[in-house]
Each structure stands twice: as C-alpha cells, then as structure tokens.
Amino acid sequence: MDYIDFGDIQDAVLDCKYEDIVYGNEIINSLASRLKVTDIPEPVPYIVKRLGVVAACYNRCLLQTGTDPTTVFNGAGGVENSDIYAQKLKLYKAEMERLMASITAADFGVTGGQGRASIPLYRS
C-alpha cells in the first residue's frame, strides 16, 4: 500500500525517484510490523506520513551523496563547501531515527499492537 507519493515530498533540492517512494512506504510497513499494527488506516496519520517522507528523502540523499557538482576542493585535501546531499543526509538520518524511536502503535491511530493493554476481569 502507498502511504506517501511524490506530492508529499517538499524538498526543493532533491529529485526523488520511484524507488525512494517505495523505500519510504516500506519503512512505514516495517515500523508497523515491529509495533504489531496489523491494519494501517488510510490516510495515515501525519507523524507516520512524515516518517515515510523523511525516509524517502534519506534514501535519495544516500544515493546522491558524492555527486554534487558544486563541491569545491581547496587543493590542500580539504573541502570548501561540502556536498549538499551529504549535509542533507545527516539531517534526514537524525530525523528518521527520532521518528522511528518516538512513534508508537497509538500514533498509527489504531488500537492493538504494543500500545494495547488489557486487564482480566473475573466475577466472584
């Protein structure tokens, strides 16, 4: 199921491809599986969609790092301005890790998963 699409990507520098969108959707599925969420609502809640978008952008940065033609080397082995994709990669990685650690089953907007608790009741 597709939870994100190209219209959700708002990064003016990145040119996300189909495989990036697939990656973002798979990250959502993976997290849902880890949290034991079986039915993901459509549309997904904002925070879950945000995770998919960030994951798609992370994947594109990972694949593009080292291809920025504006990177200038100063001759002493240093870089005057580093690769824009490498800079964005760090930001997207940190945000993806933060979201993965903070999203719970309840954030998917469903009951069940690890966020579910039950208390057995007995009649006397």
Side-chain angles (χ1 to χ4, degrees):
M1 180 177 288
D2 291 342
Y3 309 108
I4 65 166
D5 59 30
F6 289 106
D8 297 316
I9 308 292
Q10 300 297 316
D11 192 302
V13 173
L14 298 179
D15 183 22
C16 285
K17 309 286 187 216
Y18 176 74
E19 61 264 22
D20 305 320
I21 300 299
V22 169
Y23 181 79
N25 287 315
E26 284 303 315
I27 290 293
I28 292 172
N29 284 327
S30 174
L31 181 60
S33 176
R34 187 178 69 172
L35 296 174
K36 296 180 178 33
V37 173
T38 55
D39 296 320
I40 302 173
E42 182 72 28
V44 293
Y46 173 78
I47 192 166
V48 176
K49 182 175 276 227
R50 174 86 178 134
L51 172 63
V53 168
V54 167
C57 292
Y58 168 81
N59 193 59
R60 179 52 30 200
C61 288
L62 187 63
L63 296 172
Q64 292 290 133
T65 297
T67 64
D68 184 0
T70 64
T71 302
V72 178
F73 296 92
N74 65 13
V79 179
E80 289 183 16
N81 60 338
S82 67
D83 187 322
I84 187 69
Y85 302 113
Q87 292 175 24
K88 284 182 167 282
L89 179 66
K90 291 176 189 174
L91 296 172
Y92 281 122
K93 181 180 180 183
E95 180 68 359
M96 190 168 78
E97 289 173 348
R98 185 189 71 76
L99 289 169
M100 292 280 288
S102 68
I103 293 176
T104 65
D107 290 320
F108 277 89
V110 296
T111 57
Q114 292 177 346
R116 181 183 203 175
S118 63
I119 301 171
L121 300 175
Y122 301 99
R123 289 187 176 225
S124 53

